[in-house]
Structures are given as C-alpha cells and as structure tokens.
Amino acid sequence: MEDLKRYIREVPDYPKPGINFYDITTLLKEPQGLRATVDSFGRLFEGRVIDLVIGIESRGFLFGPQLAYQFSAGFIPVRKPGKLPAETVSQVYELEYGTDELEMHRDAVGAGDRVLIVDDVIATGGTAAATAKLVESCGAEVAGFGFVVELTFLDGRARVDGYEVQTLVRY
Ligand code: AMP
C-alpha cells in the first residue's frame, strides 16, 4: 500500500509556513493510483455492513462517492456551515487557533444506519471526531473511518478511539 506514496505530492509550507501539505490531486490523476485506492478500501472494509458513506468537505467528496459505489451504499456530504439547503445538525470543533463547524442534513442518516466516514487526510482527528458526533446525534452508527493519508505524529487516532480506522499511507 505504501507504494501509493509515489502518487501523493508533498507541498512544503502550504497553506502556511511549517505545514507540509499532502496533495492527493496527483493520486486522483493516475488511473492506477485511483483504482488502487478504491480497491484497497474495498478490501480493508470487506464484509462490513455499510449503508451510507459520508465524505467530509471538500476532499472527502472526491473519494466518498466512489467508495459508496464500491460498497453499494448511498453517499452523504458533510459540509461547511451554510452550504446545505434543508434543515441541518451542526457540530463545532476546536482547531489549533479558534474553532470550525460542520453541518449535515438532519434527515441524512437515522437509527439503524451504519455509516462509513471518509476523508483524504487524518491529521489531529478533530474533523473526524466532529463528524462521528453528527452521525451519532442522528441515531446512526459509525461503521468506521477511511483516510488515504494518516499523519501519525499528530495521533489523530486517539480522537476517534474505539472506532475502526483504516488508512492507506502513513507519514
Ligand atoms: P484534522 O481535523 O486535524 O484531522 O484535519 C483534517 C482535515 O484537514 C482534512 O479534511 C484534511 O483535508 C485537512 N488537512 C490537515 N492537514 C493536512 C495536510 N498536512 N495536508 C493535506 N490536508 C490536510
């Protein structure tokens, strides 16, 4: 799986000094890289019951629908505030400086749904943990998390302790 690394571009000091940005547009562009990514998640979550896949805005949208197709599940977007037209639930979470917020349609998931949450990168895990709270606040169950890239030095897994977390490449 680690050979997926060769498709992921590292951009130093983006979006600000000291941040090493993991750019997955170069992975999406490569037919082999894209196929290997989707197939890998298919294998890692094989046999799990997954009714719905959530993609977190915005790069989770690039993988979520493909995994939903793979698992014969539906797709749900979790978005930044003010983007969804119907009634929403929201969750505020801490950033390094300040807070951020995510929203989901209130009727998007419900009791009995098993939901896989997908994004490109898990860093501190704050975004992932907030999304799990959104799912659970609507009575649904988190089936697991899938991330292409895991930044292990930030220990994001600790924020989603107790859930299945699958990642394809680690730095
Ligand atoms: P976190 O909540 O700290 O786990 O941050 C995860 C979110 O921030 C994901 O939606 C990522 O797309 C984005 N992100 C954080 N750090 C990076 C990074 N070094 N490279 C690319 N995306 C990142």
Side-chain angles (χ1 to χ4, degrees):
M1 214 80 76
E2 291 290 301
D3 61 359
L4 283 182
K5 273 189 180 175
R6 76 180 128 128
Y7 300 121
I8 296 170
R9 174 161 55 193
E10 293 184 43
V11 185
D13 298 320
Y14 182 88
K16 53 186 184 184
I19 303 288
N20 201 34
F21 192 89
Y22 294 89
D23 174 20
I24 48 75
T25 65
T26 43
L27 168 74
L28 291 165
K29 179 183 142 182
E30 288 299 329
Q32 284 182 336
L34 180 55
R35 183 174 289 276
T37 299
V38 176
D39 288 352
S40 297
F41 281 122
R43 277 195 297 277
L44 289 166
F45 287 104
E46 196 172 3
R48 312 296 191 284
V49 177
I50 296 169
D51 302 301
L52 295 163
V53 176
I54 279 179
I56 305 173
E57 184 168 0
S58 58
R59 289 183 294 278
F61 297 173
L62 302 172
F63 297 101
Q66 304 191 68
L67 298 195
Y69 181 83
Q70 171 94 5
F71 297 124
S72 298
F75 174 75
I76 305 289
V78 159
R79 300 210 62 181
K80 306 275 166 62
K83 303 280 189 184
L84 290 167
E87 193 188 342
T88 58
V89 288
S90 76
Q91 188 68 46
V92 175
Y93 61 102
E94 302 289 324
L95 296 176
E96 194 179 352
Y97 300 104
T99 59
D100 215 338
E101 192 174 353
L102 288 172
E103 291 184 346
M104 180 176 73
H105 275 144
R106 182 176 288 282
D107 61 1
V109 306
D113 287 332
R114 291 186 49 83
V115 184
L116 176 68
I117 298 169
V118 172
D119 204 354
D120 62 337
V121 174
I122 180 167
T124 66
T127 310
T131 306
K133 283 189 187 152
L134 282 179
V135 168
E136 289 166 354
S137 74
C138 293
E141 203 179 320
V142 176
F145 292 90
F147 303 95
V148 179
V149 173
E150 176 177 3
L151 305 185
T152 55
F153 55 94
L154 294 173
D155 199 21
R157 277 177 189 268
R159 302 280 291 273
V160 284
D161 196 28
Y163 298 101
E164 177 173 4
V165 179
Q166 299 286 2
T167 64
L168 304 189
V169 302
R170 292 163 205 106
Y171 295 88

